[in-house]
Amino acid sequence: MVDTTIGAAGVIQPAEVKDVELYHPKSWVTKYVFCQDAKVIAIQYAITALGIGLVALVLSWLIRLQLAFPSSFSAIGPTDYLQFITMHGMIMVIYLLTALFLGGFGNYLIPLMVGARDMVFPYVNMLSYWVYLLAVLVLVASFFMPGGPTGAGWTLYPPQAILSGTPGQDWGIILMLASLILFIIGFTMGGLNYVVTVLQARTRGMTMMRLPLTVWGIFMATVLALLAFPALFVGCVMMLFDRILGTSFFMPAIVEMGQHLKYGGGSPLLFQHLFWFFGHPEVYIVALPAFGIVSDLISTHARKNIFGYRMMVWAIIVIGALSFLVWAHHMYVSGMNPYFGFYFATTTLVIAIPTAIKVYNWVLTLWRGDIHLTVPMLFALSFIVTFVNGGLTGLFLGNPVVDVPLSDTMFVVAHFHMVMGMAPIFVIFGAIYHWYPKVTGRMMNEALGQFHFWVSFLGAYAIYFPMHYLGLLGVPRRYFEMGDMAFIPQSATTLNIFITMAALTVGFAQMVFLFNLIWSLFWGKPAGSNPWRATTLEWQTPETPPGHGNWGKELPVVYRWAYDYSVPGAKEDFVPQNQPPTPRAA
Amino acid sequence: MSITLLLLAVIGAIAAWWLSQQRLMSKPWLEVGAIDDVRGTGASPVPAATVGLGVFLAVVVTLFALLISAYFMRMQTADWAQMPAPKLLWFNTGLLILSSVALQYAQVAARRGRMEDVAGGLVAGGLLALAFMAGQLLAWQQLNAEGYFLATNPANAFFYLLTGLHGLHLLGGLVALALTADKVWRGLEPGQVRLSVRLCAIYWHFLLALWIVLFTLLTPWVGDFATICRQLLT
Ligand code: HEM
Ligand SMILES: [Cu+2]
């Protein structure tokens, strides 16, 4: 461990780290495969997450094709359809968004932004990735097992999740639960690193209140995840017991095909509590890093300091704390004591306050800024619009009376895709365009990026706006086909075809993005060390891409907060965090 | 879920206390440091590994709090039939206490630099912990022999689940213990093993406390007590 001195004002990290303490890769394998350097682990996480995310993207096309042209594809039967929606949802939420924000961006940015050489427990950090990869492989394996993956819906509600009517009852559900358990174990290893690195490895002068908001967002999200994932873990373990060992934690007495099953007395509601105790914080596990990253993108690309930094930090903390108190708004239709309904509706709506504060602060940051409409900025702006949009429909759903008719309709699908699907994905894209130059030393192609942005952004609205309307008509979610239902007009079918076309177009734009990622690696414009002229520490590394140990001989010293843009009287329109103040002229 | 929320509130209180030390009211935009004024970061003087263990224990507390919440919720259904706790568990508890004591001994020895005693304490602690786990397995076997199978009743299922998960945590601790013992074997200086020994001891005391909580819950009279409480409330 590093020896720290305790000065008058607290702990001061030593400027130089003894060389032996750094982990040194000795061969190709330890440098690129079993590597303990957080930057490499970050890239491994990101590639794996994007890879499995691609699978989920393809599944979404299949879902959309079925919805637009019911039963015209012999390859998509009702069973397949349920499996597709389940796997699509689960992969997107857990294996893509959570893994990419925390494992990907967390690993890359935390050590660099706080001015550390690496994560505090590099070995555990490496294990974290390999356990994550194993979780992904187990998930993928379920596609190839007899019976295929589970079709229980990403919420995996028992009893149906483990009954024989549900696809993937043999192996699918078992592998799904096993994969989630592995994911959680792997995440916990990584999460300990992210939290403790922020707590203990900040460089000299980097107080908590000087951290870039990206770090605050990822930090708080990790804390939420560490405390929320155990609920999913418990739920998964108990359901696995029910499925394999015949216990009745969640399974009530059931007659199936005229036969009494061996189960009895279990409580499906108990699972719902556990699932949503994890599930609601999970949406903020995804949202908080997005909040943080967007704040930094906006400030950098509008050349203005973030408005209300302090309030932004407080809002992140308050949102994090509140998100543990609202879980049952996902269970209004499961039946509950009216007082509970009232309580959960209130807490749900209260979260809107700190969230709204953040939105105002972003807008005020933009106000009279020197806005550069670069690709990262466009994505950041689109996040704000889309997030507000989804948040507003959330306010509808937060009220039990409104929620009951809308629950389990396309309206909910539209809500969460806006707020947790599109909005965070936009941030991920923006962040990739923004930090790609640091990771690779080259810029991504601007024209392709603009194309990618406009198609994705407009396309997302073409997809999800009409879906709200379908939901209001009463079109249910998770249905293989509608058949001839009186309340669904012909126009709904036309609308479905339109949505599918939009979805396929957006899907195509993602291929352009992937092409850009690879193309720019070889032929992108050389970026230099600080192409966006940003203040935060990761742009001030002696080498780009940052070398092993991040900083040369000495760790940087931080003299100011992360948002000194357009400071009056300064030579440049940005002042890096590690730039010493000029001595006052005599 | 109220138990979980209660424990989360405790964790939250610790976090709030820590946050209150971080000058959340400061105005960073006005505070440009002077050149020679290298301020502390507000990080705690505790080594990172200790903080890491603390965070990990918070996760484990949450995990078991959720299980215990589930336990109380499931207990309310009519099919619940508490099974007698095997007498052997008392003996096992004794073993775990001794194991904790041995590690405490090792920790004190490490602080005083008596490496021989450190090695002794670690080995004794490890063996006693292994004996505890063997005892737990034996208890499972006794229960099975008496017909209290895992799937016959939710009370049984919880018993196996809770003791099993506790055992797995102890197993993880044994790996850390083995690594620490290995350091002592290789003849590292007291200064280089002190921290590892200390962390092992903390983890052991934690698992002991956790076991005592679980043991209390799993004995039949808690079920009766919970029923009485519920009747009083309704
Ligand atoms: C003020 C803001 C928000 C409110 C009031 C709100 C409210 C709700 C409510 C009441 C539901 C349940 C609908 C139903 O099943 O009938 C719901 C579903 C959902 N929300 Fe939100 N929400 C908000 C923000 C968010 C955010 C920020 C995210 C993600 C980043 C999110 C993600 C989701 C997801 C994924 C679901 C669907 C879960 C499922 O049933 O599969 N929400 N929201
Ligand atoms: Cu929610």
Side-chain angles (χ1 to χ4, degrees):
Chain A
M1 291 298 116
V2 179
D3 280 319
T4 43
T5 33
I6 304 176
V11 177
I12 296 175
Q13 305 283 354
E16 280 185 50
V17 176
K18 275 176 274 153
D19 204 41
V20 279
E21 287 182 13
L22 277 180
Y23 148 84
H24 287 293
K26 297 200 178 60
S27 65
W28 188 86
V29 174
T30 46
K31 189 157 181 193
Y32 296 107
V33 186
F34 295 103
C35 182
Q36 302 182 17
D37 187 327
K39 296 187 294 297
V40 177
I41 297 173
I43 292 166
Q44 291 173 326
Y45 252 112
I47 291 176
T48 313
L50 287 176
I52 191 74
L54 211 56
V55 174
L57 180 67
V58 173
L59 289 175
S60 78
W61 299 341
L62 300 176
I63 298 169
R64 276 319 311 176
L65 282 175
Q66 165 61 27
L67 285 175
F69 311 105
S71 302
S72 3
F73 302 93
S74 56
I76 310 177
T79 309
D80 306 304
Y81 181 78
L82 290 175
Q83 293 170 327
F84 294 166
I85 58 162
T86 305
M87 287 297 147
H88 165 77
M90 194 65 100
I91 293 175
M92 287 296 192
V93 173
I94 310 263
Y95 299 85
L96 173 71
L97 288 177
T98 310
L100 193 50
F101 268 127
L102 302 180
F105 289 108
N107 264 318
Y108 203 89
L109 294 177
I110 291 176
L112 280 168
M113 283 187 150
V114 306
R117 293 198 181 272
D118 204 335
M119 289 286 182
V120 283
F121 315 120
Y123 182 75
V124 181
N125 204 22
M126 174 185 81
L127 274 188
S128 158
Y129 169 72
W130 290 99
V131 177
Y132 164 65
L133 182 66
L134 186 63
V136 171
L137 292 179
V138 170
L139 181 86
V140 171
S142 77
F143 280 90
F144 301 102
M145 287 311 223
T150 180
W154 85 281
T155 46
L156 301 177
Y157 278 8
Q160 55 92 10
I162 55 182
L163 290 181
S164 59
T166 309
Q169 190 245 5
D170 294 334
W171 283 102
I173 184 70
I174 295 179
L175 291 183
M176 180 78 255
L177 295 171
S179 169
L180 284 173
I181 289 172
L182 284 171
F183 180 92
I184 295 167
I185 294 173
F187 170 77
T188 307
M189 297 179 183
L192 289 176
N193 263 297
Y194 317 150
V195 169
V196 180
T197 303
V198 173
L199 288 181
Q200 295 301 88
R202 279 167 286 132
T203 187
R204 294 186 292 165
M206 183 62 96
T207 59
M208 286 304 280
M209 292 307 273
R210 278 179 178 171
L211 285 176
L213 286 167
T214 299
V215 177
W216 263 109
I218 294 177
F219 172 70
M220 198 63 198
T222 309
V223 172
L224 291 193
L226 285 174
L227 298 179
F229 269 122
L232 183 64
F233 186 88
V234 170
C236 286
V237 170
M238 283 163 62
M239 195 170 353
L240 212 50
F241 270 51
D242 278 6
R243 169 67 185 76
I244 299 180
L245 302 171
T247 55
S248 300
F249 288 116
F250 303 133
M251 299 298 282
I254 281 179
V255 181
E256 188 179 68
M257 316 281 262
Q259 280 197 324
H260 274 282
L261 296 186
K262 52 191 189 293
Y263 300 115
S267 161
L269 263 183
L270 175 55
F271 179 83
Q272 296 189 14
H273 278 297
L274 290 172
F275 185 87
W276 289 115
F277 191 81
F278 145 77
H280 188 83
E282 167 65 24
V283 309
Y284 285 99
I285 292 167
V286 173
L288 290 181
F291 288 173
I293 291 174
V294 152
S295 311
D296 284 358
L297 294 193
I298 286 187
S299 178
T300 307
H301 294 269
R303 316 308 298 165
K304 242 189 95 187
N305 64 300
I306 193 83
F307 185 90
Y309 174 85
R310 245 188 335 172
M311 239 196 270
M312 293 301 245
V313 171
W314 297 347
I316 287 178
I317 297 169
V318 171
I319 291 174
L322 281 179
S323 68
F324 278 102
L325 303 176
V326 301
W327 76 91
H329 65 214
H330 296 274
M331 297 164 60
Y332 289 147
V333 289
S334 307
M336 63 174 80
N337 182 319
Y339 289 111
F340 285 163
F342 177 74
Y343 161 80
F344 281 110
T346 315
T347 48
T348 299
L349 300 184
V350 166
I351 294 200
I353 298 172
T355 313
I357 290 178
K358 296 197 77 79
V359 174
Y360 288 124
N361 284 352
W362 289 321
V363 175
L364 287 168
T365 304
L366 290 169
W367 175 253
R368 312 191 65 176
D370 171 13
I371 298 176
H372 297 250
L373 288 179
T374 55
V375 181
M377 183 61 154
L378 287 172
F379 273 112
L381 296 176
S382 70
F383 164 83
I384 300 178
V385 181
T386 314
F387 188 82
V388 168
N389 224 307
L392 289 178
T393 51
L395 293 182
F396 286 47
L397 295 173
N399 295 287
V401 254
V402 187
D403 180 66
V404 169
L406 287 178
S407 197
D408 271 321
T409 67
M410 281 302 189
F411 192 88
V412 173
V413 177
H415 158 68
F416 70 74
H417 275 94
M418 276 291 190
V419 80
M420 168 182 218
M422 293 306 113
I425 278 286
F426 288 159
V427 176
I428 285 184
F429 287 141
I432 290 178
Y433 284 98
H434 184 79
W435 277 294
Y436 190 88
K438 185 46 62 175
V439 179
T440 65
R442 289 176 187 275
M443 306 295 286
M444 285 183 77
N445 182 293
E446 171 83 14
L448 290 180
Q450 292 271 350
F451 173 81
H452 174 221
F453 167 75
W454 285 108
V455 177
S456 301
F457 177 59
L458 298 177
Y461 275 77
I463 298 170
Y464 295 109
F465 249 26
M467 242 185 238
H468 290 94
Y469 171 71
L470 290 179
L472 289 175
L473 284 179
V475 176
R477 71 193 274 213
R478 294 178 175 166
Y479 272 40
F480 173 60
E481 58 184 345
M482 285 315 122
D484 297 316
M485 281 191 211
F487 65 91
I488 298 175
Q490 186 58 40
S491 62
T493 314
T494 324
L495 207 52
N496 260 328
I497 296 178
F498 170 77
I499 295 177
T500 298
M501 293 307 159
L504 294 177
T505 316
V506 171
F508 168 71
Q510 309 319 306
M511 300 302 117
V512 175
F513 167 69
L514 288 181
F515 172 77
N516 195 351
L517 267 186
I518 296 166
W519 186 86
S520 306
L521 197 56
F522 302 102
W523 296 284
K525 235 177 20 192
S529 69
N530 191 359
W532 310 115
R533 303 152 53 74
T535 56
T536 39
L537 287 182
E538 80 275 22
W539 299 105
Q540 326 302 335
T541 52
E543 299 168 69
T544 300
H548 183 65
N550 291 349
W551 317 98
K553 220 165 153 37
E554 279 212 4
L555 289 176
V557 178
V558 169
Y559 296 97
R560 58 188 79 239
W561 72 327
Y563 300 97
D564 268 344
Y565 290 104
S566 310
V567 179
K571 243 196 311 274
E572 301 241 30
D573 76 339
F574 71 105
V575 191
Q577 277 190 281
N578 59 344
Q579 177 169 321
T582 35
R584 219 175 290 262
Chain B
M1 300 307 269
S2 38
I3 294 172
T4 309
L5 286 179
L6 206 70
L7 279 163
L8 277 183
V10 174
I11 294 173
I14 297 173
W17 167 81
W18 174 80
L19 278 170
S20 70
Q21 315 283 304
Q22 301 302 321
R23 307 178 52 248
L24 284 190
M25 305 300 288
S26 63
K27 300 189 171 128
W29 51 93
L30 297 179
E31 300 178 348
V32 177
I35 290 194
D36 312 317
D37 159 37
V38 179
R39 264 197 277 116
T41 58
S44 90
V46 180
T50 313
V51 179
L53 180 66
V55 178
F56 179 66
L57 292 187
V59 176
V60 180
V61 164
T62 317
L63 177 72
F64 279 92
L66 283 155
L67 279 163
I68 291 169
S69 290
Y71 183 74
F72 280 118
M73 272 172 155
R74 184 68 180 81
M75 194 186 252
Q76 294 167 24
T77 4
D79 64 341
W80 187 268
Q82 195 77 38
M83 64 178 182
K87 291 273 174 309
L88 183 58
L89 291 186
W90 289 98
F91 179 70
N92 292 350
T93 310
L95 288 177
L96 198 58
I97 294 176
L98 287 180
S99 176
S100 234
V101 170
L103 282 192
Q104 182 64 27
Y105 176 77
Q107 188 202 330
V108 173
R111 205 158 44 205
R112 306 220 173 117
R114 299 196 313 258
M115 293 308 276
E116 238 92 287
D117 294 349
V118 175
L122 290 180
V123 171
L127 289 179
L128 282 163
L130 279 175
F132 168 81
M133 302 229 296
Q136 295 288 79
L137 285 177
L138 204 62
W140 281 7
Q141 213 174 26
Q142 287 180 0
L143 285 169
N144 258 316
E146 287 168 40
Y148 295 106
F149 302 118
L150 175 78
T152 19
N153 194 275
N156 308 4
F158 268 108
F159 180 87
Y160 288 100
L161 178 63
L162 289 171
T163 48
L165 275 178
H166 178 264
L168 282 179
H169 280 86
L170 193 57
L171 202 62
L174 279 169
V175 173
L177 190 70
L179 291 176
T180 312
D182 180 57
K183 280 191 197 168
V184 179
W185 245 241
R186 280 186 288 133
L188 267 61
E189 294 299 304
Q192 291 165 293
V193 292
R194 202 171 285 150
L195 181 63
S196 311
V197 177
R198 198 171 111 80
L199 295 185
C200 283
I202 296 177
Y203 189 58
W204 244 250
H205 301 336
F206 170 81
L207 284 183
L208 174 62
L210 179 63
W211 168 247
I212 289 172
V213 171
L214 294 180
F215 187 30
T216 320
L217 285 177
L218 293 169
T219 45
W221 58 268
V222 173
D224 304 341
F225 185 68
T227 329
I228 295 170
C229 284
R230 209 165 301 124
Q231 275 161 359
L232 284 180
L233 284 175
T234 48

